[in-house]
Amino acid sequence: MGLDHAATKPHEQLAAHLAGKMDAVNALIRARMASRHAPRIPQVTAHLVEAGGKRLRPMLTLATADLCGYGGGYDVHLAATVEFIHTATLLHDDVVDESAQRRGRPTANLLWDNKSSVLVGDYLFARAFQLMVEPGSLRVLDILANASATIAEGEVLQLTAARDLATTEDIYLQVVRGKTAALFSAATEVGGVIAAAPEEQIKALFDYGDALGIAFQIVDDLLDYQGDTSATGKNVGDDFRERKLTLPVIKAIAAANTQERTFWTRVIEKGDQRDGDLEHAIGLLNTHGALDQTRQEALEWAAKAKTAMAALPEHPVRQMLLDLADYVVARIN
C-alpha cells in the first residue's frame, strides 16, 4: 500500500506525536493574530489559518527540535513564526497571482480586497518578527530573517522570469529555492539550532528541508497539469492560465520545434490564450516526456531529503520525516 493510501499518513503521525505542542502553537497563533483596533486583521487571517491546512511547516520546526532533544518551550514560538511567515506570503501571492481559490475556498483578496490582503500580510510579517525575537537567539533571528528576504526575492525573480521563454531550469530552481524551499529549510534548521544540536546535524536538517521543499514545489507544479481539483484544491491549468514557466513547460520548450515554440510564445509570453490551448499544451508536455522527466526530478529531490537524514539520531520522529519525504511525492508515484 502506498503512503498516499495509508491509513495514517506521515503528516498525521507527526501531528499526533506533536499534538500538545501543536495545540500550543495554534493558541499562540490565535493570540498573536488578534488586533484591538482593526478587526479585519483576525477575520482575514482566520479565513486562511483555519482553512484546514496541514500546518506542515510549523510541524517541521517542532519535529526537528524534538528529534534533537529540545526540552524547552521556544520551539512553539518558532513554529508560530514559521506559520505566520507562510500565511503572509500566501496572502501576498494570491494578490500577485490574482487567484480566486486557495485550499478549495475563495481567497481572502476575493472575499475582501487586495488592499486588505496585502496589509494583513504585512501585519503577520511584523508579528512573525516579534515572535522570532523572543527566544533571544541571534542565530535564529538571522535564519528566519534571511528566509523572509529570500522568499520575497524568489517571488520577484519569478515575476521577471515567469513569462520569459529564455528562463532556464537553473533559474527555475533558484525561484523554487526562494518561494518554497527557503521556509522549509529555515523551519527545519531552527529546530536544530534551538536544541543546540551539533553543527553536522543542523546542516543535515537544513539540507533535508531544502530538498523536501524543492520536491514539494515540483510536485505542485506537476499536478497543475495532471492533478485532481478536488484533491489539490486548485484548478488544473491555473499555472498555464497565469502564464507561469514551471518545470514541465521549461522542459517542453527546450525540446520544442519552431512551430511549438511559436505556440509557447503566443500563450506564455504574449498571453494570447484560446479555447483548446491548455489541452494542446498538455499534449506537448506528453510528447516530449516533460511530465515524466519532471516526476523523476521530484523523486530525486525526495531521495536527497532522505539521504540528509542519515546524520540525525535514531528517533521515532526521524522515521516520520523519512516517510514524509516519500509522502510528498506519493501523489505522482
Side-chain angles (χ1 to χ4, degrees), residues 62-99:
L62 297 177
T64 52
D66 185 32
L67 174 58
C68 294
Y70 182 64
Y74 283 122
D75 53 343
V76 171
H77 290 69
L78 297 181
T81 297
V82 167
E83 184 66 8
F84 271 153
I85 293 172
H86 178 53
T87 305
T89 60
L90 293 184
L91 286 168
H92 288 169
D93 286 355
D94 286 341
V95 172
V96 171
D97 295 339
E98 299 178 348
S99 299

Side-chain angles (χ1 to χ4, degrees), residues 229-276:
T229 299
S230 63
T232 63
K234 58 186 287 191
N235 299 312
V236 171
D238 276 350
D239 288 347
F240 178 79
R241 284 181 283 271
E242 292 165 14
R243 300 157 59 195
K244 289 182 179 177
L245 270 177
T246 56
L247 189 57
V249 176
I250 292 171
K251 287 182 178 295
I253 290 171
N257 60 31
T258 303
Q259 183 179 6
E260 291 166 356
R261 191 172 181 85
T262 299
F263 167 78
W264 290 118
T265 299
R266 173 172 66 80
V267 298
I268 300 296
E269 285 195 344
K270 296 181 179 179
D272 178 12
Q273 296 186 4
R274 306 164 189 170
D275 288 346

Side-chain angles (χ1 to χ4, degrees), residues 158-173:
Q158 180 173 256
L159 279 180
T160 59
R163 297 171 182 175
D164 182 356
L165 294 188
T167 297
T168 63
E169 291 191 26
D170 285 343
I171 294 174
Y172 168 83
L173 185 58

Side-chain angles (χ1 to χ4, degrees), residues 19 22 40 71 85-86 129 146 253 273 300 333:
M22 279 306 298
R40 180 163 294 185
I85 293 172
H86 178 53
F129 275 89
N146 279 334
I253 290 171
Q273 296 186 4
E300 288 170 3
N333 226 338

Side-chain angles (χ1 to χ4, degrees), residues 75-325:
D75 53 343
V76 171
H77 290 69
L78 297 181
T81 297
V82 167
E83 184 66 8
F84 271 153
I85 293 172
H86 178 53
T87 305
T89 60
L90 293 184
L91 286 168
H92 288 169
D93 286 355
D94 286 341
V95 172
V96 171
D97 295 339
E98 299 178 348
S99 299
Q101 190 178 64
R102 166 78 64 181
R103 294 171 183 164
R105 307 171 74 202
T107 53
N109 51 300
L110 189 68
L111 291 179
W112 287 274
D113 51 53
N114 285 342
K115 293 176 182 177
S116 294
S117 288
V118 170
L119 294 173
V120 172
D122 292 345
Y123 179 85
L124 295 183
F125 267 123
R127 284 299 201 201
F129 275 89
Q130 288 176 327
L131 279 165
M132 73 177 77
V133 167
E134 290 179 24
S137 168
L138 279 176
R139 185 171 179 183
V140 162
L141 180 60
D142 183 55
I143 291 167
L144 290 169
N146 279 334
S148 299
T150 301
I151 292 166
E153 189 177 37
E155 292 290 354
V156 175
L157 176 60
Q158 180 173 256
L159 279 180
T160 59
R163 297 171 182 175
D164 182 356
L165 294 188
T167 297
T168 63
E169 291 191 26
D170 285 343
I171 294 174
Y172 168 83
L173 185 58
Q174 190 176 348
V175 169
V176 168
R177 274 213 158 95
K179 62 177 279 189
T180 302
L183 193 54
F184 274 79
S185 59
T188 52
E189 187 180 10
V190 295
V193 169
I194 198 72
E199 288 302 318
E200 177 192 14
Q201 293 182 11
I202 293 172
K203 174 64 164 59
L205 290 172
F206 172 89
D207 289 343
Y208 170 84
D210 178 62
L212 186 74
I214 293 170
F216 185 92
Q217 187 60 55
I218 292 176
V219 167
D220 195 56
D221 292 345
L222 183 60
L223 290 176
D224 190 74
Y225 287 96
Q226 57 178 42
D228 177 357
T229 299
S230 63
T232 63
K234 58 186 287 191
N235 299 312
V236 171
D238 276 350
D239 288 347
F240 178 79
R241 284 181 283 271
E242 292 165 14
R243 300 157 59 195
K244 289 182 179 177
L245 270 177
T246 56
L247 189 57
V249 176
I250 292 171
K251 287 182 178 295
I253 290 171
N257 60 31
T258 303
Q259 183 179 6
E260 291 166 356
R261 191 172 181 85
T262 299
F263 167 78
W264 290 118
T265 299
R266 173 172 66 80
V267 298
I268 300 296
E269 285 195 344
K270 296 181 179 179
D272 178 12
Q273 296 186 4
R274 306 164 189 170
D275 288 346
D277 280 347
L278 173 60
E279 291 73 19
H280 184 58
I282 293 172
L284 292 178
L285 298 181
N286 284 312
T287 296
H288 294 293
L291 296 176
D292 287 339
Q293 293 167 30
T294 299
R295 172 184 170 276
Q296 186 56 41
E297 288 202 25
L299 294 172
E300 288 170 3
W301 280 108
K304 288 179 184 179
K306 293 174 69 175
T307 298
M309 293 301 290
L312 277 300
E314 286 294 332
H315 191 286
V317 166
R318 182 174 177 270
Q319 187 58 52
M320 292 177 200
L321 293 176
L322 289 169
D323 289 344
L324 182 63

